[in-house]
Amino acid sequence: MEQLVLDLESTIYGKFSGVTTAPQSCYTDEKVEGEPSRKSSVYLQKACLGRNICYIVSAVVAQEGRVLMMREAKSSCRGRWYLPAGRVERNESFEEAVIREVLEETGLHFKPISIIYIDSQGTNWFRFTFSGAITSGKLKTLQEQDSESMEAGWFSPEEIFHSLSLRCQDIYPLIRGGLKWYESRMEKSICKLRPVGSPHSHVIVRVVVVKRSEEDGKKLFCILSNNFSGSNSFPYFPYKVTDISCSPNVTSVIDKLMTEISCKISYKLHGYLKIEHTGKPHGVADGLCLTLLVEVFVPLQGGINNQKYKLLEVEEIDLRDKIWDLIDVGGCVTLEEH
């Protein structure tokens, strides 16, 4: 999925400026729409892991219809079962974190293949659930228990949902989504989402807004920000920097952005297309950029805010078809908010 966004960006930049990649400043903090000047007395707080933002990683690993679980060792939930999961640490990427957590809690080496589920609380707490494969290792036994976990095991969905004593039932949708991914999406490259290692100091939400033609349902139009200034400027996907201290959730940020594009707009939010994060160095790159896919359904002629946004037809057939295929199969990563 992240490659689809990159290809779409390259096409857009090529049409307007003759370049095929976005300049580094496109979504950096110096150019983020709506962010006060660094000289302003009001300044959006940077993301700092452990202080004002928290990232959780978890893994749904399935083999022959059975799911990998671990038994908690913490005193607050000792003896109860849960998915391998834990907090992302300082100077750690999401993939590094989930590999570490699976190894520490189950004794198995995990290879992440895709993010399959993202849930959040506000814009300062996110959980990224990965699918993937076990490459080696030995399943932790009760005799090998430590402070990370007591033991690990493989269980059927029926056992997990009806028999195991669980730490929390919030993993039900993660397991259902994970099993669905293994069954119907694992072989589809367009349905795979891996984090991209781009540094951000804030939480940025941006949207790929697409629209079908009323005359030809295969035609693809994108809505782009149109506030250019000078010959070196170029269009880009609409985006906002969130105030992590008070933004209620990602959906509210999308709602505000879409209302700004057109007050009469009707749309569907399909889910996540791209996740950018490095986590290194701590305190400087603890933010992330979330790219989501939005489909518009109503005619926009005369209704779009033409001073700030513009409608661009994407004529490349292969790229156009991939986006509609992704929408038709429901392949975007789920957006779930608490």
Side-chain angles (χ1 to χ4, degrees):
M1 269 184 274
E2 65 274 11
Q3 186 59 50
L4 181 59
V5 179
L6 292 172
D7 291 344
L8 188 56
E9 286 177 323
S10 296
T11 297
I12 292 169
Y13 300 141
K15 288 179 183 295
F16 284 86
S17 59
V19 299
T20 57
T21 57
Q24 291 296 314
S25 61
C26 185
Y27 299 106
T28 61
D29 303 319
E30 295 296 340
K31 198 172 180 291
V32 250
E33 185 178 331
E35 181 178 0
S37 164
R38 295 186 181 276
K39 296 180 181 180
S40 171
S41 58
V42 179
Y43 181 66
L44 292 180
Q45 193 175 28
K46 289 185 178 181
C48 184
L49 194 68
R51 188 183 71 188
N52 59 8
I53 197 162
C54 176
Y55 301 126
I56 306 294
V57 291
S58 61
V60 176
V61 189
Q63 289 185 358
E64 299 179 350
R66 302 177 75 81
V67 178
L68 180 63
M69 301 284 288
M70 69 91 184
R71 199 174 178 193
E72 295 280 9
K74 295 189 291 289
S75 58
S76 60
C77 51
R78 185 174 178 81
R80 297 185 180 273
W81 292 87
Y82 204 66
L83 289 173
R87 293 176 183 267
V88 176
E89 297 179 351
R90 295 179 178 183
N91 295 305
E92 191 173 46
S93 71
F94 297 152
E95 289 186 321
E96 289 169 342
V98 75
I99 290 170
R100 174 182 54 77
E101 288 291 349
V102 172
L103 179 60
E104 290 175 349
E105 296 182 344
T106 72
L108 302 177
H109 293 274
F110 176 65
K111 179 183 178 181
I113 296 177
S114 177
I115 295 175
I116 57 171
Y117 203 92
I118 301 173
D119 51 327
S120 64
Q121 298 175 9
T123 52
N124 60 0
W125 185 97
F126 292 88
R127 176 168 57 183
F128 299 88
T129 301
F130 287 81
S131 64
I134 298 301
T135 59
S136 62
K138 178 179 174 294
L139 196 67
K140 182 183 284 189
T141 65
L142 196 58
Q143 290 71 34
E144 298 167 322
Q145 64 178 293
D146 53 25
S147 60
E148 299 295 338
S149 66
M150 294 177 64
E151 59 178 324
W154 296 92
F155 299 91
S156 69
E158 291 74 21
E159 290 174 307
I160 296 172
F161 297 152
H162 304 296
S163 302
L164 285 187
S165 176
L166 298 178
R167 168 184 160 187
C168 184
Q169 295 181 355
D170 68 337
I171 60 174
Y172 284 176
L174 310 186
I175 294 173
R176 292 191 182 101
L179 291 173
K180 183 178 180 180
W181 185 88
Y182 280 102
E183 292 168 2
S184 62
R185 299 176 184 171
M186 185 175 181
E187 302 303 322
K188 298 178 180 179
S189 60
I190 199 171
C191 294
K192 292 184 174 71
L193 177 62
R194 297 279 297 271
V196 176
S198 299
H200 295 279
S201 60
H202 296 79
V203 175
I204 300 173
V205 176
R206 66 171 181 162
V207 290
V208 175
V209 187
V210 298
K211 183 183 183 302
R212 297 180 192 261
S213 167
E214 285 79 27
E215 296 78 21
D216 180 358
K218 292 186 177 180
K219 283 188 177 180
L220 171 68
F221 294 88
C222 282
I223 295 178
L224 305 173
S225 289
N226 190 32
N227 44 350
F228 313 136
S229 59
S231 59
N232 293 327
S233 296
F234 47 88
Y236 48 86
F237 296 130
Y239 70 111
K240 290 283 187 183
V241 176
T242 69
D243 187 344
I244 57 178
S245 63
C246 64
S247 295
N249 51 45
V250 173
T251 300
S252 68
V253 179
I254 298 291
D255 289 341
K256 291 179 181 179
L257 189 54
M258 297 305 294
T259 301
E260 185 178 283
I261 292 173
S262 173
C263 61
K264 300 178 181 179
I265 205 164
S266 174
Y267 65 92
K268 179 178 180 180
L269 179 56
H270 289 287
Y272 291 97
L273 276 178
K274 187 179 180 185
I275 307 296
E276 300 174 35
H277 171 267
T278 61
K280 303 168 187 167
H282 166 64
V284 175
D286 288 333
L288 74 163
C289 181
L290 309 167
T291 301
L292 297 101
L293 179 63
V294 171
E295 183 179 5
V296 176
F297 298 106
V298 298
L300 291 173
Q301 287 76 6
I304 193 171
N305 183 347
N306 290 313
Q307 292 186 343
K308 295 192 68 175
Y309 302 97
K310 70 181 303 171
L311 204 61
L312 172 72
E313 181 178 357
V314 178
E315 299 171 338
E316 288 72 14
I317 295 175
D318 182 61
L319 185 56
R320 180 190 70 189
D321 290 347
K322 284 180 180 179
I323 292 177
W324 294 139
D325 287 346
L326 182 64
I327 289 175
D328 291 342
V329 301
C332 290
V333 175
T334 302
L335 181 152
E336 185 72 28
E337 297 172 327
H338 305 291

